[in-house]
Each structure stands twice: as structure tokens, then as C-alpha cells.
Amino acid sequence: MIGRTRIEPLVSAENLRRTYRSRKGLFGATTDVRAVDSVSFAVMPGETLGIVGESGSGKSTMGRLALGLETPDRGQVFYRGLPMPPPGTGEWRKLRQKMQMIYQDPLGALDRRLPVLTQIREPLDIHQPAAARANEEAAAKMLARVGLSPEQGARYPHELSGGQRQRVVLARALMTRPDFLVCDEPVSALDVSIQAQVVNLLADLQAEFGLAMLFISHDLRVVRQISNRVAVMYLGQFVEEGSADDLFAEPLHPYTRALVSAAPQARSAGKAERVVLAGEPPNPARRPAGCAFHPRCPVARPECRVTAPELRSVGPARRVACHAVEAEILSFGEVA
Amino acid sequence: MSENRASLVSLKGLTVSFDGVRVLHGVDLEVAAGEAVGLVGESGSGKSVTWLAALGLLPRKAQVSGSATLKGIELIGASPRVLDSVRGGRIAMISQDPASALNPVLRVGKQIGEALALHRGLSGQALRAEALRLLELVGIPDAPRRLDSYPHEFSGGQNQRVMIAMALAGQPELLVADEPTTALDVTIQAQILDLLREIRREMNMALVLISHDLGVISETCDRVGVMYAGRIVEQASAARLFETPQHPYTQGLLASLPPLDGPRRRMRSIPGVVPDPRHLPMGCAFAPRCDRPTSRCLQAQPMLSPLEAGHAVACFHPASAKPGMRAA
């Protein structure tokens, strides 16, 4: 994506921060939980940025911020270089045609009382109510495009399987011809064999419609499969970012290394040396000082307890936030 | 398979029907003492129902037939007295969601204690000491204090550790773990799988690991059974199954897992959906999704039959995967 002719990012964000206030007990003191902190990113047209991280890492909040469903406390999201209008305004609503969201649970995203084809055409009926005939045709065409029969289109959501429902959600999202899609764990609830079908469909639709995507998942395999670039989140921050191939082939940050090695391999032999992280998943309400990862880090140094490392560029399209990696690079001159 | 080791649990022709709809079509499975057996399959394939049926844990309306024996003791249709002596004692079970399996208003020490009192007859100081030992064994830090904590004060991974401690209270010969790590983050999943491996070695306990995740199974189990639509369609040692899978469904499942290294290719998916148990196809249940069905597959049900020692497959056309397989 580093071209000579400069391409403008479709969606970008600078220094995003989102804090939730949580109260301990009924009358307890409130604490601020930083779900997302100092995150910047850019998604080029047609590109997929994958976001991986464990529960509580802030990846879903990131998705909501990117769509403007939530307003950041600090920082700004830009769409085609212009600041995202505040949610609920007419301007924002208009923009939402161009940006859509796919959730993990398609049954929750669909209306149980309407046949699915009706739901697929609904976005068009809202945005161009006069063109009923054209809307119907477009919806039927989209239904076929996502691999569903007209007979399935007449069914209600509960009469379809999980994978078929996710196809319906995809079809509905694409009706307004968006150019940006945020997918939050879109295949996590599906069976393995169905996951592959939906991921393939998503890749096809992306190519066909020129979609840019923010693909959020805890599943490294699926993220690698569909993403151009991947960012790893830990406690609300990016700790590493790189191309999908490089990042998983040669993870630099100790957390990415642990994640990659913890992903179970379906292999007969050669069980790789596994980095098993000590400790519990982090609690965003009790964020450790310094580098948030240091209590679980196998290579933590004294300074990690005090100073938070910054996300620094360490090679082509690769950024890492880690004191140990920085020190290694200083002593060897380059990334191994 | 397990000829050289004494069989601990033996399932023979186990079938289950709900309201006249058969969901389990005759499962045969041997688990040897100390062995780790994986059962893999998609939702609805019958992997959980198999073990719920064997342990008499299905609702009354389920019709179970066939045989499940623990060292010669028949469990199907056994009296509550027999089942009570087996369940939790000789065979323990843990489930996917530890938070709902634990009692939210009882301290975990008390809950582990209940199992110890019931299965080992412990009380007083001895009971507390043993509960503490178990909590330490499963790697809960600061165990003496944590005995007095409630489940909501633990994280999901820690609650699963507590569940494992409770399961170990009866010193079981077999632990049936039903998707024990599915609800956990990968780094925590790695910890729990390590713990299960360690405990199994230490206590010489057999393990049945039920999972939809081939990776989890391959890292933990000696032998694997692949289930589809209520039958075991392939069974082999873990090494063999992942190296030379023979059933087209197993091959499809393995191909559906995108790799973490090497070139990225379009994923090969299994077309179609899992059949509805009420409307199973006439022949092989997998035939409608198979990439090499013949007329025979559409008419007759292939039986699980040995291909060679320790490797059985239920397919009329078993074959090693060829790179030229059709992409769906």
C-alpha cells in the first residue's frame, strides 16, 4: 500500500481514546476504564485491516468508533479525509449507507418476524422509497449473489442455519453499496466447515464491490486468511502491526508471539515449542503501569514497569510497541 | 487401537432418539485406562450426546439403547445407585461453561468440599486440606484465601480450573471434558490444556476431550474419533488422522482450517449444511456434501470398518486427500 502515487485512506483514525465509566458496587467509587487508548490506523480503499486480541482488549470498541457508533473522548475518525459527523445527525446517517457493520450473532441482527428477503430490501426502501420495483429486483439479485435461493429468501430467520443467516446479513449490508465494512467476529459462532464458506464469500464480495474492511476477530487463522494488514490489540492499544504474512510468520512483540504459539495446530507431528503465558487475562479496569503487558511478559525489563513503550516503526510496514524489541534492534541494527 | 491396554470404558452400538428422531446411530468406542481420546465434530454431530447418554444424564424422554460399560459394569439402564457411584466418582465430567456449572452463592471451597465428602467420605480438617491441595494442583494462586471466594470473584479460566478441581475430587479414572476451553481466550486455553495434560500424567487418568477444534484435539489426544450426523465416521491415532485422513469429511474439516504460515490460498470449504436428523439422506449422511459420491453412497450406509490396524473409516471410497480435490 506504500505506492508512489499517494492513495488517500478511506477511513483513518488519529489517537483515538474511549473511556467507559464503571462503578464498583451500587455506591462504590467510579473508575474510568480505557477501552481504547491512543490508537491510530488507516484503511485504504479495498483493503482489509485485521484486528486481533483477546476479550477485553478493546477490539469491538474500535469497530464501533470506526463506524461513528460511538464518539471518541479524544482523537478523531476520518472518512475520505473528512471528520466523522456526530452520531444521530442527518449527515452521519447519510454516511452510514457507505459504512456497514456485521456482527457475530446474525439472529440478533435480524428481525424474527420478517421474511429475510424483505429485510434485505429494507435498506433500499428506506433510502429510496419510491423505487419499490427496482428495490425488489435488486434484493432478489443480492440474495442470489450471496448464494441463497428465492425459496430461502421467503423464509424467516429461525428457519435458516447460522451460515445462511450470516449470508442474509451480508446481503442486507451490501444493498446500499457501502465501501467500508466493519466485521466483528463474523464467523466465530459458525461451525468450522461453514466458516470457510462465509470467509470465501466475504473475500469474493470484497473484490467484487471494492470493499474496505475492518475485520475484528480473536481467531488468528481467519484474520490472516482475509486481511492485508493486521494489528494486535492488548488492553486498548495496538502492540504490533504488520502485513498479515509477516506478522504471523515472524511475530516480534512477546504478546503476539504468545498468541501465535498458543493457536492450536492441527498437525500430526512437530508440536512447536509453545509460549504459555502466565497469569490471567488483563482487566482493563486495573491497567498495569508502564507497559500494560509486563506482568505476563516473559522478557520484561525493569523499564517496562515504569515507561509505556511507544508504537515504533521497525521495518517496512511493521510497527511494534516493546522496549525489549527496541533494545534488540539497537544491538543488531535490524529486525532478525 | 487399545488391544494392549485394558479397556476402561466401552461403548457398543449406542443409540439415542428424541421423540422418535434418532440422533445417535450406534456408536462404538473404546477408551483404555490412562488414554486420551478426542471426539471432534460440528454442532449436532452427537459428540456430547454420546457421553450424556453413557452417563445417564439425558432427559427422561430420550430413548437410549446399546451398551456402555465401565470395566464390565453396564451403565445403560443401570440403577441410580450404580450410576451415583460412577458419576463424579469414577467418571467425572466438565462442561464448556464453568460459570453456570458452579453454584454462584457457595464459596468454591465448600463446593469442592461437597464432592470430597460425597465421593471420598472426607470431613473436617482432612476435607479442607484436600480441597486446598486440589485448588493448588489446578494452579489457583493464593489457594488458602481463594477457598473462601465465590465463583464470580474468579475469571473464566480460573472457574474452569475450579471445575477441574471439583472433577478431580472423586479421583476419577476418566474425565470427560466437553469443550472445556471453547469459552476461553487462546492464551488461557493453552494454560488449561497444559493443566489437563499434566494432571492426566500425574494421576494416570483417562481423558475424553470433546471439541469442535481439530487443533485442540491434535495437541491433547492419543486417539481421535470424528463424528458426523450421529456416527463416528473415522477413528485413528491422532498422528495418523492428521497425516493421512481417509474420510472426505475429515479431509474437508482439515482443509477448512486456514494455515498460520505459508502461502494464503482460497479456503476449501465443505459445501452445503449439516443434515437435519429428521430428514437424513438415505445412504451415507455425508454424500450430499461429498466431492466423490457414487450411486452406492446414495443408497447404502457405510459402516465403520478397519482400514488397517488402529485406523477405521466409514466410507465406501476412503482415499488420501489429493491436491486436485475440487474447491467449493
Side-chain angles (χ1 to χ4, degrees):
Chain A
M1 283 299 142
I2 305 165
R4 262 146 266 117
T5 49
R6 202 175 140 69
I7 313 168
E8 286 297 321
L10 182 73
V11 176
S12 62
E14 268 166 33
N15 227 349
L16 290 185
R17 175 189 283 182
R18 179 75 176 106
T19 312
Y20 296 115
R21 184 147 286 188
S22 85
R23 191 187 289 275
K24 201 167 164 54
L26 193 55
F27 304 106
T30 56
T31 45
D32 283 346
V33 179
R34 272 186 206 167
V36 169
D37 196 8
S38 323
V39 169
S40 304
F41 68 87
V43 185
M44 301 295 164
E47 186 196 35
T48 303
L49 173 63
I51 308 247
V52 294
E54 297 182 280
S55 42
S57 61
K59 50 191 196 306
S60 290
T61 304
M62 269 278 306
R64 298 173 58 79
L65 287 171
L67 277 187
L69 291 173
E70 284 187 33
T71 322
D73 304 326
R74 195 203 272 176
Q76 181 78 55
V77 178
F78 299 90
Y79 176 78
R80 292 191 186 275
L82 297 171
M84 176 78 65
T89 59
E91 219 182 324
W92 175 77
R93 230 163 258 157
K94 215 160 149 196
L95 206 56
R96 281 302 314 277
Q97 294 183 39
K98 291 281 155 204
M99 316 170 98
Q100 295 284 345
M101 178 113 182
I102 309 285
Y103 292 98
Q104 174 172 352
D105 172 25
L107 196 55
L110 294 169
D111 188 328
R112 286 160 201 251
R113 296 160 305 173
L114 288 178
V116 294
L117 185 62
T118 313
Q119 304 192 47
I120 291 175
R121 62 175 282 185
E122 208 171 19
L124 283 189
D125 287 341
I126 290 167
H127 290 293
Q128 32 185 307
R133 181 77 172 274
N135 293 354
E136 193 176 325
E137 271 167 30
K141 220 167 136 190
M142 191 60 84
L143 185 75
R145 180 61 200 88
V146 297
L148 294 175
S149 66
E151 189 261 322
Q152 286 164 328
R155 293 194 202 164
Y156 291 88
H158 72 268
E159 297 173 309
L160 297 174
S161 70
Q164 288 163 345
R165 283 178 209 142
Q166 202 59 295
R167 288 172 192 264
V168 172
V169 171
L170 264 172
R172 186 180 60 181
L174 294 179
M175 285 309 284
T176 56
R177 302 285 156 153
D179 45 24
F180 183 54
L181 212 54
V182 173
C183 303
D184 192 352
E185 303 273 12
V187 298
S188 304
L190 305 177
D191 270 323
V192 183
S193 72
I194 309 299
Q195 275 189 4
Q197 292 176 6
V198 175
V199 168
N200 281 344
L201 175 65
L202 204 50
D204 291 346
L205 295 172
Q206 173 172 33
E208 194 177 322
F209 292 88
L211 292 167
M213 290 203 290
L214 200 61
F215 192 94
I216 300 165
S217 177
H218 71 284
D219 187 329
L220 303 189
R221 296 170 183 284
V222 171
V223 166
R224 177 182 186 264
Q225 177 71 20
I226 200 146
S227 305
N228 303 100
R229 278 183 307 124
V230 175
V232 181
M233 278 190 95
Y234 192 82
L235 276 184
Q237 291 177 325
F238 281 5
V239 295
E240 185 162 5
E241 195 188 338
S243 81
D245 286 321
D246 296 350
L247 189 87
F248 293 120
E250 219 178 90
L252 294 176
H253 195 283
Y255 178 63
T256 318
R257 284 185 188 175
L259 269 188
V260 170
S261 84
Q265 300 276 332
R267 275 198 187 145
S268 49
K271 285 172 189 174
E273 196 65 16
R274 200 152 58 177
V275 191
V276 174
L277 282 184
E280 285 299 305
N283 180 351
R286 257 176 289 152
R287 195 190 162 79
C291 171
F293 183 59
H294 86 259
R296 301 174 80 194
C297 182
V299 295
R301 304 154 157 259
E303 70 257 38
C304 301
R305 254 168 267 156
V306 190
T307 329
E310 272 174 50
L311 197 61
R312 289 223 169 91
S313 187
V314 293
R318 178 74 77 94
R319 296 194 293 165
V320 186
C322 175
H323 291 307
V325 171
E326 262 179 52
E328 208 176 299
I329 290 165
L330 275 181
S331 57
F332 290 106
E334 58 179 24
V335 188
Chain B
M1 222 175 281
S2 51
E3 294 88 348
N4 47 351
R5 277 197 278 183
S7 171
L8 177 70
V9 173
S10 170
L11 309 181
K12 288 208 173 72
L14 196 63
T15 68
V16 175
S17 306
F18 290 105
D19 300 326
V21 177
R22 185 161 284 195
V23 293
L24 208 62
H25 301 262
V27 165
D28 297 307
L29 187 70
E30 302 280 327
V31 181
E35 191 186 23
V37 177
L39 270 186
V40 68
E42 297 180 279
S43 40
S45 60
K47 47 197 198 306
S48 300
V49 166
T50 299
W51 288 94
L52 293 173
L55 294 174
L57 291 170
L58 286 175
R60 211 172 286 262
K61 69 167 184 172
Q63 294 162 294
V64 180
S65 65
S67 150
T69 53
L70 168 68
K71 285 191 176 162
I73 307 170
E74 180 61 53
L75 300 178
I76 304 299
S79 68
R81 198 179 52 81
V82 172
L83 284 177
D84 283 346
S85 73
V86 169
R87 289 190 298 221
R90 303 183 65 185
I91 302 179
M93 193 161 181
I94 58 173
S95 62
Q96 175 174 347
D97 182 9
S100 65
L102 290 166
N103 187 333
V105 296
L106 284 186
R107 300 174 198 276
V108 302
K110 170 100 176 133
Q111 299 191 48
I112 299 172
E114 276 180 347
L116 286 168
L118 184 66
H119 297 295
R120 311 239 313 260
L122 296 179
S123 62
Q125 273 305 314
L127 184 146
R128 178 132 182 127
E130 180 63 8
L132 180 63
R133 189 189 72 83
L134 285 171
L135 214 51
E136 273 167 355
L137 178 72
V138 298
I140 299 276
D142 194 13
R145 205 173 52 80
R146 301 294 266 166
L147 271 180
D148 294 321
S149 300
Y150 292 94
H152 76 265
E153 298 174 88
F154 291 90
S155 67
Q158 281 180 328
N159 270 331
Q160 196 56 285
R161 288 174 191 266
V162 171
M163 279 304 296
I164 293 171
M166 277 175 73
L168 297 178
Q171 297 178 311
E173 292 157 79
L174 169 66
L175 176 67
V176 179
D178 189 354
E179 304 269 8
T181 59
T182 306
L184 305 176
D185 279 323
V186 275
T187 60
I188 307 303
Q189 164 170 292
Q191 291 176 359
I192 297 290
L193 292 179
D194 269 15
L195 173 68
L196 285 175
R197 250 194 305 269
E198 246 168 66
I199 286 171
R200 199 166 69 82
R201 223 179 14 237
E202 232 164 83
M203 308 183 54
N204 193 30
M205 179 181 73
L207 174 73
V208 168
L209 183 67
I210 299 171
S211 178
H212 68 282
D213 188 328
L214 287 161
V216 166
I217 295 268
S218 94
E219 293 198 350
T220 317
C221 298
D222 309 321
R223 215 150 46 81
V224 185
V226 180
M227 292 195 74
Y228 187 78
R231 286 173 208 271
I232 293 183
V233 295
E234 186 162 10
Q235 203 182 111
S237 71
R240 248 196 94 85
L241 189 86
F242 293 110
E243 205 163 309
T244 52
Q246 299 287 319
H247 196 284
Y249 176 63
T250 315
Q251 290 163 357
L253 270 189
L254 281 166
S256 303
L257 273 184
L260 262 183
D261 46 25
R264 282 184 283 166
R265 296 195 193 92
R266 188 175 175 76
M267 279 155 83
R268 230 174 47 202
S269 66
I270 306 175
V273 293
V274 179
D276 184 333
R278 281 165 299 189
H279 309 109
L280 281 185
M282 218 174 90
C284 171
F286 187 66
R289 304 177 73 188
C290 185
D291 56 1
R292 49 176 196 258
T294 62
S295 55
R296 195 177 166 203
C297 306
L298 302 175
Q299 285 150 18
Q301 172 66 47
M303 290 297 140
L304 189 67
S305 41
L307 202 68
E308 52 189 271
H311 193 165
V313 60
C315 177
F316 292 129
H317 315 283
S320 305
K322 292 284 177 309
M325 262 175 76
R326 173 185 64 145

